Amino acid sequence: MSMSVLPLVFTSGWASGINAYAVVLLLGVFGATGLTDEVPEALQRTDVLIAAGVLFLIEAVADKVPYVDNVWDSVHTVVRPVAGAVVAALLAGESGSLPELAAGAIGGSTALMSHLVKAGTRMAVNTSPEPFSNIAISTGEDLAVAGVITFAIFHPVAAAVIAAVLLALGVWLLVFLASRIRRFLRRRAQRREEHRLAAAEGGPPADRSVGGGR
């Protein structure tokens, strides 16, 4: 099966910014099973598939736990764009129709944008005390990545359009939630300062839930 590599590069970049391990795993499986001949052999190797599968399972759990997901996203601020760039360069090298450097730039920058949308949105979600919204959003993200990447194997251009629309909607949502994210960051900084002062004074941090705190 032959695909236009540019739409797949863009789509894989968008998806890598959300869950890079799922992208590597899905593309590797699709290539190994013969659904497409555009996936490079490097992504089809057994050790790569096993590593991607294990890391995907770890992310599937970590990404659904409030505040743990923020730490995970922070660590992956570098990992996801790099993964998006590498996957894009490998796809371009396999097709020979797009310079690898250009493909890497497209995949990496798109992955960075979608990662920032994901991480920022999750900060806003974590301002809510209940964990169910995290689980629902993380599951939705996993399903979106799986669905769009699978769709891209058969309809790369349409999948790229869907990825572009989802990215644009994500940016709009992030701007909409910006004030909530700023409040979350201020509260987190305030809690850290309270714990630091309490540790310096040798006592527990003040409880602001009762009394005259506003």
Side-chain angles (χ1 to χ4, degrees):
M1 179 183 297
S2 177
M3 296 182 290
S4 172
V5 71
L6 182 57
L8 184 58
V9 161
F10 178 84
T11 302
S12 66
W14 167 81
S16 293
I18 299 173
N19 194 325
Y21 305 123
V23 173
V24 173
L25 182 62
L26 285 169
L27 289 178
V29 169
F30 292 149
T33 55
L35 282 177
T36 175
D37 56 5
E38 297 289 343
V39 177
E41 292 185 5
L43 297 180
Q44 302 179 37
R45 288 171 40 182
T46 302
D47 56 341
V48 171
L49 293 176
I50 291 174
V54 171
L55 290 169
F56 169 75
L57 291 176
I58 295 173
E59 174 153 336
V61 175
D63 198 49
K64 294 174 177 60
V65 181
Y67 301 110
V68 173
D69 57 353
N70 293 146
V71 176
W72 187 265
D73 285 337
S74 296
V75 172
H76 284 74
T77 300
V78 174
V79 175
R80 288 170 182 156
V82 169
V86 170
V87 169
L90 289 172
L91 290 171
E94 185 74 9
S95 70
S97 61
L98 181 69
E100 294 179 33
L101 185 60
I106 294 170
S109 59
T110 305
L112 178 60
M113 288 180 63
S114 61
H115 163 75
L116 293 176
V117 168
K118 171 188 171 73
T121 303
R122 197 60 60 85
M123 284 185 184
V125 170
N126 280 338
T127 61
S128 173
E130 46 76 31
F132 304 108
S133 54
N134 295 72
I135 297 173
I137 290 176
S138 177
T139 302
E141 290 170 347
D142 292 342
L143 291 175
V145 167
V148 173
I149 288 294
T150 301
F151 189 57
I153 297 298
F154 304 99
H155 304 284
V157 175
V161 172
I162 292 173
V165 170
L166 291 175
L167 181 59
L169 289 174
V171 171
W172 174 84
L173 180 61
L174 187 60
V175 172
F176 179 76
L177 295 174
S179 61
R180 192 170 185 179
I181 294 171
R182 285 195 295 268
R183 287 197 301 270
F184 166 76
L185 293 174
R186 283 198 299 267
R187 282 200 297 268
R188 190 168 66 172
Q190 183 180 19
R191 284 196 298 269
R192 283 201 301 263
E193 182 65 15
E194 289 173 353
H195 281 284
R196 186 186 67 81
L197 291 174
E201 296 171 359
D207 184 358
R208 296 180 179 269
S209 62
V210 179
R214 290 189 175 184

